[in-house]
Amino acid sequence: MDEADMDGITELRDRYLGAIEAAGDEAALEAVRLSALGKKGEVSALMRSLGGMSAEERKTAGPALNALKDDLNTAILTARVRLADAALEARLATEWADVTLPPRPRAEGTIHPVSQVRDEVIAIFADLGFSVAEGPQVETDWYNFDALNIPGHHPARAEMDTFYMARAEGDNRPPHVLRTHTSPVQIRHMEANGVPCRVIAPGRVFRADYDQTHTPMFHQIEGLAIDRDISMANLKWVLEEFFSAFFGTSVKTRFRASHFPFTEPSAEVDIQCSWVGGQLKVGEGDGWLEVLGSGMVHPNVLRAAGVDPEQWQGFAFGMGIDRIAMLKYGIPDLRAFFDSDLRWLRHYGFAALDMPSIHAGVSR
Ligand code: PHE
């Protein structure tokens, strides 16, 4: 290798080190690397020319070219780290977030009074040893009526303003109804689980009725306790215990003789209340307010559910959830429950986790 070639290598080294230093970003740096060390790069071409040299020439040119290649590679590596650091710094400078800023405001929902009161009732009865049972909202007329000792000609069928499901011509399935009460869950529960049992069954029920205190869909909670020696006295104790926990004050009940086809004897239950200056107060005074129907489960009902009435007996009751929600929280019009008016929901709705029980107390 002669003087001129060695000068050429020095020139190459200076030129490429300068270009590496000048590269403004990683793409520009890669372009410089390719023009020197890529397949068609200048330095790579020189390396290939080694093959055509004499052994003498190769002795000086080989190490000189290798040193050039090493120098350029080292400079590129250093530059790459420098550029990557600079790019990161630039991103950190533009993408920073102020984690001390308050969050964006979020719309907060509320728990509907029906859901709240249903959960309150479940919590209290759970503490009394009752579990929750459920049944379908579309029922056969057998579960809704016949099994509950309401035969086809019975006036109760008409009184309940039943919604019947439409049936196509030639559809031979039994007639279906929107259940008019939660009582069919009594039958379904005993059929599936047998006795003894202590359950409550909350859910929607349907009747063709509409005014300030009636909506075509409303909510009931059914109670059922069957064992060998359960009596009306047990029913009265359970209900007084329940109402006292629910209203947060000791509440007397009054049983009035009544009639339901599925209970014998039957009683309508009133709770003690007072009316002072248009204010209703539960648990004081000498007024009475009707809140539920109840009684001892009729032997025919037990039989329909496959339970032997010679061995087992017990009580059942049915109570309107919406109605006791209106009483407890002073809500005047039932229809507003189902209007989905946001102002109403915000006013009467509840915060999540507002869950009373017998032990936690019920004060808000
Ligand atoms: N199912 C009755 C109604 O809807 C209430 C009831 C339930 C009465 C259980 C007695 C026993 O009016």
Side-chain angles (χ1 to χ4, degrees), residues 8-9 22-23 65 88 108 117-118 123 125 139 194 216-217 225 229 295 310 333 340-341 343 353:
I9 286 178
L65 281 174
L88 182 61
E108 203 176 291
V117 165
R118 179 200 56 211
F125 275 103
E139 263 300 4
M217 186 280 298
D229 52 7
E310 301 296 326
D333 191 334
S340 302
D341 182 329
R343 290 163 305 174
L353 305 180

Side-chain angles (χ1 to χ4, degrees), residues 42-221:
E42 265 186 283
V43 179
S44 308
L46 282 176
M47 298 291 284
R48 274 195 299 277
S49 73
L50 285 173
M53 292 179 189
S54 67
E56 191 59 28
E57 282 173 324
R58 216 180 291 136
K59 226 183 230 168
T60 38
L65 281 174
N66 273 326
L68 170 63
K69 199 174 136 190
D70 288 349
D71 287 353
L72 295 186
N73 270 328
T74 306
I76 287 167
L77 230 84
T78 311
R80 193 172 283 151
V81 172
R82 172 173 51 77
L83 289 172
D85 283 354
L88 182 61
E89 285 300 329
R91 265 187 68 195
L92 288 175
T94 55
E95 291 181 10
W96 71 282
D98 183 351
V99 296
T100 67
L101 284 175
R104 289 195 186 90
R106 271 193 297 165
E108 203 176 291
T110 57
I111 307 290
H112 194 285
V114 171
S115 307
Q116 172 73 15
V117 165
R118 179 200 56 211
D119 291 348
E120 290 176 10
V121 174
I122 290 173
I124 295 168
F125 275 103
D127 286 345
L128 290 169
F130 287 70
S131 54
V132 172
E134 284 186 310
Q137 293 173 19
V138 176
E139 263 300 4
T140 64
D141 64 348
W142 190 81
Y143 279 106
N144 196 79
F145 296 122
D146 301 81
L148 290 163
N149 198 36
I150 314 175
H153 54 80
H154 198 282
R157 287 214 189 193
E159 279 162 24
M160 285 210 181
D161 301 307
T162 311
F163 287 111
Y164 281 85
M165 304 297 288
R167 266 198 305 177
E169 188 107 26
D171 184 342
N172 290 323
R173 288 175 300 174
H176 281 67
V177 301
L178 294 181
R179 66 178 178 193
T180 57
H181 50 179
T182 41
S183 300
V185 185
Q186 292 184 30
I187 308 292
R188 288 187 176 274
H189 181 79
M190 289 189 282
E191 257 182 1
N193 304 283
V195 288
C197 69
R198 282 146 181 72
V199 289
I200 50 168
R204 297 180 174 206
V205 299
F206 306 83
R207 289 179 203 179
D209 210 349
Y210 188 70
D211 61 34
Q212 200 183 333
T213 50
H214 296 91
T215 48
M217 186 280 298
F218 59 104
H219 301 83
Q220 283 190 336
I221 207 151

